[in-house]
Short mmCIF file of all heavy atoms in Angstrom, two decimals:
data_model
loop_
_atom_site.label_atom_id
_atom_site.label_comp_id
_atom_site.label_asym_id
_atom_site.label_seq_id
_atom_site.Cartn_x
_atom_site.Cartn_y
_atom_site.Cartn_z
N LYS A 703 5.59 -27.06 7.54
CA LYS A 703 4.30 -26.46 7.37
C LYS A 703 3.28 -26.99 8.44
O LYS A 703 2.37 -26.30 8.83
CB LYS A 703 3.75 -26.73 5.98
CG LYS A 703 4.74 -26.18 4.90
CD LYS A 703 5.03 -24.70 5.08
CE LYS A 703 6.11 -24.24 4.13
NZ LYS A 703 6.65 -22.89 4.45
N SER A 704 3.47 -28.22 8.83
CA SER A 704 2.55 -28.82 9.81
C SER A 704 2.59 -28.08 11.13
O SER A 704 1.52 -28.01 11.81
CB SER A 704 2.97 -30.28 10.01
OG SER A 704 2.08 -30.86 10.93
N TYR A 705 3.73 -27.51 11.47
CA TYR A 705 3.85 -26.79 12.72
C TYR A 705 3.83 -25.30 12.54
O TYR A 705 4.39 -24.53 13.30
CB TYR A 705 5.14 -27.18 13.45
CG TYR A 705 5.13 -28.54 14.04
CD1 TYR A 705 5.47 -29.65 13.30
CD2 TYR A 705 4.70 -28.74 15.37
CE1 TYR A 705 5.42 -30.92 13.79
CE2 TYR A 705 4.65 -30.01 15.91
CZ TYR A 705 4.96 -31.09 15.15
OH TYR A 705 4.96 -32.37 15.68
N ASP A 706 3.15 -24.81 11.46
CA ASP A 706 3.09 -23.45 11.14
C ASP A 706 2.47 -22.66 12.34
O ASP A 706 1.59 -23.17 13.00
CB ASP A 706 2.24 -23.17 9.86
CG ASP A 706 2.47 -21.84 9.26
OD1 ASP A 706 2.28 -20.86 9.92
OD2 ASP A 706 2.88 -21.84 8.09
N ALA A 707 2.86 -21.42 12.54
CA ALA A 707 2.40 -20.66 13.66
C ALA A 707 0.93 -20.30 13.57
O ALA A 707 0.29 -20.08 14.62
CB ALA A 707 3.25 -19.34 13.81
N GLY A 708 0.38 -20.25 12.41
CA GLY A 708 -1.07 -19.91 12.30
C GLY A 708 -1.42 -19.47 10.91
O GLY A 708 -0.68 -18.86 10.21
N LEU A 709 -2.67 -19.76 10.53
CA LEU A 709 -3.13 -19.46 9.15
C LEU A 709 -3.37 -17.96 9.01
O LEU A 709 -3.45 -17.45 7.86
CB LEU A 709 -4.44 -20.18 8.84
CG LEU A 709 -4.24 -21.72 8.62
CD1 LEU A 709 -5.58 -22.32 8.39
CD2 LEU A 709 -3.35 -21.97 7.45
N ASN A 710 -3.58 -17.19 10.07
CA ASN A 710 -3.82 -15.77 9.97
C ASN A 710 -2.57 -14.92 9.95
O ASN A 710 -2.70 -13.69 9.91
CB ASN A 710 -4.77 -15.34 11.09
CG ASN A 710 -6.15 -15.99 10.99
OD1 ASN A 710 -6.67 -16.12 9.88
ND2 ASN A 710 -6.70 -16.38 12.13
N SER A 711 -1.41 -15.52 10.00
CA SER A 711 -0.14 -14.76 9.98
C SER A 711 0.24 -14.50 8.55
O SER A 711 0.17 -15.37 7.67
CB SER A 711 0.92 -15.54 10.69
OG SER A 711 2.20 -14.95 10.43
N PRO A 712 0.74 -13.28 8.22
CA PRO A 712 1.23 -13.01 6.88
C PRO A 712 2.40 -13.89 6.49
O PRO A 712 2.64 -14.18 5.32
CB PRO A 712 1.64 -11.56 6.95
CG PRO A 712 0.86 -10.97 8.09
CD PRO A 712 0.76 -12.07 9.07
N GLU A 713 3.11 -14.39 7.50
CA GLU A 713 4.27 -15.27 7.25
C GLU A 713 3.76 -16.70 7.25
O GLU A 713 3.02 -17.13 8.13
CB GLU A 713 5.35 -15.07 8.33
CG GLU A 713 5.94 -13.73 8.34
CD GLU A 713 6.86 -13.47 7.15
OE1 GLU A 713 7.52 -14.48 6.71
OE2 GLU A 713 6.97 -12.38 6.68
N GLY A 714 4.32 -17.45 6.32
CA GLY A 714 4.03 -18.92 6.30
C GLY A 714 2.65 -19.32 5.88
O GLY A 714 2.22 -20.44 6.29
N ARG A 715 1.92 -18.54 5.15
CA ARG A 715 0.62 -18.96 4.68
C ARG A 715 0.70 -19.98 3.60
O ARG A 715 1.63 -19.98 2.79
CB ARG A 715 -0.23 -17.70 4.22
CG ARG A 715 -0.65 -16.85 5.38
CD ARG A 715 -1.57 -15.76 4.90
NE ARG A 715 -2.78 -16.34 4.21
CZ ARG A 715 -3.85 -16.77 4.86
NH1 ARG A 715 -3.86 -16.79 6.17
NH2 ARG A 715 -4.91 -17.24 4.20
N PHE A 716 -0.30 -20.85 3.45
CA PHE A 716 -0.25 -21.90 2.42
C PHE A 716 -1.68 -22.26 1.93
O PHE A 716 -2.68 -21.92 2.59
CB PHE A 716 0.43 -23.15 2.92
CG PHE A 716 -0.18 -23.70 4.20
CD1 PHE A 716 -1.16 -24.62 4.16
CD2 PHE A 716 0.32 -23.35 5.39
CE1 PHE A 716 -1.72 -25.20 5.25
CE2 PHE A 716 -0.21 -23.89 6.59
CZ PHE A 716 -1.24 -24.81 6.50
N THR A 717 -1.72 -22.85 0.78
CA THR A 717 -2.98 -23.35 0.20
C THR A 717 -2.71 -24.61 -0.57
O THR A 717 -1.65 -24.78 -1.14
CB THR A 717 -3.66 -22.30 -0.67
OG1 THR A 717 -4.92 -22.76 -1.13
CG2 THR A 717 -2.84 -22.01 -1.93
N VAL A 718 -3.73 -25.46 -0.61
CA VAL A 718 -3.64 -26.68 -1.51
C VAL A 718 -3.84 -26.15 -2.94
O VAL A 718 -4.57 -25.21 -3.19
CB VAL A 718 -4.75 -27.64 -1.18
CG1 VAL A 718 -4.70 -28.82 -2.08
CG2 VAL A 718 -4.63 -28.07 0.31
N MET A 719 -3.15 -26.77 -3.91
CA MET A 719 -3.32 -26.44 -5.28
C MET A 719 -2.91 -27.62 -6.16
O MET A 719 -2.45 -28.65 -5.64
CB MET A 719 -2.46 -25.20 -5.64
CG MET A 719 -0.97 -25.47 -5.60
SD MET A 719 0.02 -23.99 -6.04
CE MET A 719 -0.52 -23.71 -7.73
N ARG A 720 -3.22 -27.51 -7.47
CA ARG A 720 -2.78 -28.56 -8.36
C ARG A 720 -1.31 -28.37 -8.66
O ARG A 720 -0.86 -27.27 -9.00
CB ARG A 720 -3.58 -28.46 -9.67
CG ARG A 720 -3.34 -29.65 -10.61
CD ARG A 720 -4.38 -29.68 -11.75
NE ARG A 720 -4.26 -28.54 -12.67
CZ ARG A 720 -5.10 -27.55 -12.77
NH1 ARG A 720 -6.17 -27.53 -11.98
NH2 ARG A 720 -4.93 -26.58 -13.65
N ALA A 721 -0.52 -29.44 -8.44
CA ALA A 721 0.95 -29.36 -8.61
C ALA A 721 1.33 -29.19 -10.08
O ALA A 721 0.55 -29.54 -11.00
CB ALA A 721 1.61 -30.60 -8.02
N GLU A 722 2.47 -28.69 -10.32
CA GLU A 722 3.03 -28.59 -11.67
C GLU A 722 3.17 -30.02 -12.24
O GLU A 722 3.79 -30.87 -11.62
CB GLU A 722 4.36 -27.89 -11.68
CG GLU A 722 4.22 -26.41 -11.26
CD GLU A 722 5.60 -25.66 -11.31
OE1 GLU A 722 6.62 -26.33 -11.15
OE2 GLU A 722 5.59 -24.45 -11.54
N GLY A 723 2.63 -30.23 -13.42
CA GLY A 723 2.62 -31.58 -13.97
C GLY A 723 1.43 -32.46 -13.49
O GLY A 723 1.32 -33.58 -13.91
N GLY A 724 0.59 -31.87 -12.60
CA GLY A 724 -0.55 -32.65 -12.15
C GLY A 724 -0.33 -33.25 -10.75
O GLY A 724 0.80 -33.33 -10.26
N GLY A 725 -1.40 -33.63 -10.09
CA GLY A 725 -1.32 -34.24 -8.74
C GLY A 725 -1.50 -33.18 -7.66
O GLY A 725 -1.67 -32.03 -7.91
N LEU A 726 -1.39 -33.66 -6.42
CA LEU A 726 -1.66 -32.81 -5.26
C LEU A 726 -0.45 -31.94 -5.00
O LEU A 726 0.68 -32.41 -4.93
CB LEU A 726 -1.92 -33.70 -4.01
CG LEU A 726 -2.12 -32.98 -2.69
CD1 LEU A 726 -3.29 -32.02 -2.74
CD2 LEU A 726 -2.29 -34.00 -1.58
N GLY A 727 -0.69 -30.67 -4.86
CA GLY A 727 0.45 -29.73 -4.55
C GLY A 727 0.05 -28.78 -3.44
O GLY A 727 -1.06 -28.80 -2.92
N LEU A 728 1.03 -28.03 -3.04
CA LEU A 728 0.94 -27.09 -1.97
C LEU A 728 1.69 -25.88 -2.29
O LEU A 728 2.82 -25.95 -2.81
CB LEU A 728 1.44 -27.71 -0.68
CG LEU A 728 1.16 -26.99 0.63
CD1 LEU A 728 -0.29 -27.12 1.01
CD2 LEU A 728 2.08 -27.52 1.76
N LEU A 729 1.10 -24.67 -2.06
CA LEU A 729 1.79 -23.43 -2.25
C LEU A 729 1.94 -22.76 -0.89
O LEU A 729 0.95 -22.62 -0.13
CB LEU A 729 1.03 -22.47 -3.19
CG LEU A 729 1.55 -21.02 -3.20
CD1 LEU A 729 2.89 -20.93 -3.92
CD2 LEU A 729 0.49 -20.13 -3.89
N SER A 730 3.16 -22.35 -0.51
CA SER A 730 3.33 -21.62 0.74
C SER A 730 4.10 -20.32 0.41
O SER A 730 4.90 -20.26 -0.52
CB SER A 730 4.13 -22.43 1.77
OG SER A 730 5.47 -22.62 1.31
N VAL A 731 3.83 -19.25 1.12
CA VAL A 731 4.48 -18.02 0.96
C VAL A 731 5.06 -17.54 2.25
O VAL A 731 4.44 -17.73 3.35
CB VAL A 731 3.53 -16.91 0.41
CG1 VAL A 731 3.06 -17.25 -1.01
CG2 VAL A 731 2.35 -16.64 1.32
N SER A 732 6.27 -17.03 2.20
CA SER A 732 6.98 -16.54 3.38
C SER A 732 7.80 -15.31 2.88
O SER A 732 8.64 -15.44 2.00
CB SER A 732 7.84 -17.53 4.02
OG SER A 732 8.56 -17.06 5.14
N GLY A 733 7.53 -14.15 3.53
CA GLY A 733 8.20 -12.95 2.99
C GLY A 733 7.71 -12.66 1.59
O GLY A 733 6.49 -12.64 1.36
N PHE A 734 8.66 -12.55 0.67
CA PHE A 734 8.30 -12.34 -0.76
C PHE A 734 8.50 -13.60 -1.56
O PHE A 734 8.54 -13.58 -2.80
CB PHE A 734 9.14 -11.22 -1.35
CG PHE A 734 8.93 -9.84 -0.67
CD1 PHE A 734 9.92 -8.90 -0.72
CD2 PHE A 734 7.76 -9.57 0.03
CE1 PHE A 734 9.75 -7.64 -0.11
CE2 PHE A 734 7.58 -8.33 0.62
CZ PHE A 734 8.59 -7.39 0.58
#
Side-chain angles (χ1 to χ4, degrees):
K703 303 305 171 190
S704 181
Y705 287 88
D706 200 301
L709 289 177
N710 293 321
S711 169
E713 295 288 328
R715 288 188 56 84
F716 56 88
T717 184
V718 180
M719 66 180 299
R720 188 168 68 250
E722 294 181 333
L726 178 60
L728 191 73
L729 169 70
S730 66
V731 294
S732 179
F734 299 156

